[in-house]
Amino acid sequence: MTEDVTQRRYLQVQQRLQNMLEGGEYLPGDKVPSERELAQTLGVSRMTVRRAVDNLVRQGLLERDSTTGTRVSPPKVRRLLNHAHLHSITQMVAATGGRAGGKLLEFQMTAASGSVGQKLHLPPGSPVVMIRRLRLVDDVPFCLETSYLSARRVPGLAAEDLLGGESLYQLLEERFGIVAALGESMIGVAPARASEAQALNLQPDQAVLLYRSVVQDARGQPFEYLKSVNHPQLVVFNIGEGRAGSSL
């Protein structure tokens, strides 16, 4: 069997396993069939199944236990809405025992579109800083986030400030005195674009959790418009306690 055929078969098996997980047949914590059972069911070798399962473990969708076998992983990130103290993804990941990380994909000064300007209470064309980042938990990508900040509120903010995966909210508070408070948020479901699917290890057009938020500071002034594309198996949203901002 050629390498190309082996690669196609492994990817087909991986996709069938992902479809099983996404179809609701298996819930977080459920044990999945053994490699031998899957090989018999799918009509492939155990080696092909093992390779597919290994990749799903690396993606955080499955987890192995030496005594109980392979199970469906629980969500890696719980994003809390309206929480009194936890505002940032970095904080939320740490609170659940994960290791937060990030990759800066884009940083630029641009002109606010009509919709962005409206959300930030700025005239159209006003300068804004656009930041796009891939967020990670234990080195696994779980969301793509795009933030728009009023350039007037963050003079001197540069890409270098975020290259190490630092918390944007901590930086805004320490350098610019901007404290995240109340946020107006919306959550929906939408098909992933090709670039989003590739970044999050999803299939094209797979449904993702789409989160949008206008975040205000302690004085009630909007300072950020956030758009977040979240992996549907790795992220859940929960309602927290108290009044707080979005999760970045």
Side-chain angles (χ1 to χ4, degrees):
M1 185 180 296
T2 67
E3 180 62 27
D4 286 345
V5 173
T6 302
Q7 180 79 1
R8 287 199 301 270
R9 182 161 294 181
Y10 139 70
L11 291 175
Q12 289 169 355
V13 170
Q14 179 178 319
Q15 183 55 49
R16 290 185 67 177
L17 293 177
Q18 284 185 261
N19 291 341
M20 290 169 55
L21 300 179
E22 295 162 9
E25 181 179 355
Y26 296 96
L27 299 176
D30 285 351
K31 184 177 178 180
V32 300
S34 67
E35 292 177 0
R36 180 175 6 179
E37 292 173 307
L38 288 170
Q40 292 174 345
T41 300
L42 301 176
V44 297
S45 70
R46 288 183 64 180
M47 186 63 68
T48 299
V49 170
R50 181 170 300 171
R51 187 178 178 187
V53 170
D54 284 345
N55 203 35
L56 294 178
V57 170
R58 283 193 293 272
Q59 293 180 20
L61 301 182
L62 295 175
E63 56 186 26
R64 282 195 175 97
D65 187 291
S66 58
T67 57
T68 61
T70 304
R71 297 181 179 276
V72 180
S73 298
K76 299 291 185 183
V77 178
R78 294 187 179 275
R79 300 190 64 163
L80 305 180
L81 307 181
N82 301 324
H83 194 281
H85 304 293
L86 297 180
H87 303 293
S88 74
I89 279 185
T90 303
Q91 292 174 317
M92 292 179 193
V93 171
T96 53
R99 177 168 47 86
K103 295 181 181 179
L104 181 65
L105 303 180
E106 191 174 357
F107 184 104
Q108 64 170 303
M109 186 78 70
T110 186
S113 65
S115 61
V116 171
Q118 183 181 33
K119 291 174 173 62
L120 294 178
H121 296 178
L122 299 172
S126 297
V128 293
V129 175
M130 190 278 285
I131 303 168
R132 182 169 290 119
R133 293 184 292 170
L134 179 65
R135 308 308 300 272
L136 312 172
V137 54
D138 299 330
D139 296 324
V140 176
F142 69 89
C143 78
L144 277 168
E145 298 214 318
T146 304
S147 292
Y148 295 90
L149 305 169
S150 170
R152 180 180 58 82
R153 301 287 303 272
V154 291
L157 183 65
E160 291 74 17
D161 297 318
L162 300 168
L163 289 178
E166 293 82 359
S167 168
L168 176 60
Y169 277 17
Q170 182 177 352
L171 177 63
L172 293 178
E173 182 174 353
E174 292 177 353
R175 184 181 299 181
F176 305 106
I178 299 174
V179 179
L182 187 65
E184 299 178 3
S185 305
M186 293 179 58
I187 302 174
V189 177
R193 298 176 180 175
S195 59
E196 296 166 346
Q198 182 177 15
L200 296 175
N201 295 319
L202 297 171
Q203 294 299 309
D205 295 326
Q206 184 174 338
V208 293
L209 301 174
L210 188 60
Y211 174 65
R212 297 185 178 93
S213 183
V214 178
V215 190
Q216 299 175 0
D217 61 20
R219 298 176 299 170
Q221 297 299 312
F223 70 89
E224 177 197 29
Y225 173 51
L226 169 69
K227 297 193 295 184
S228 178
V229 179
N230 297 263
H231 193 297
Q233 275 84 49
L234 300 180
V235 179
V236 294
F237 287 87
N238 291 94
I239 302 298
E241 300 176 356
R243 293 159 60 100
S246 71
S247 47
L248 174 63

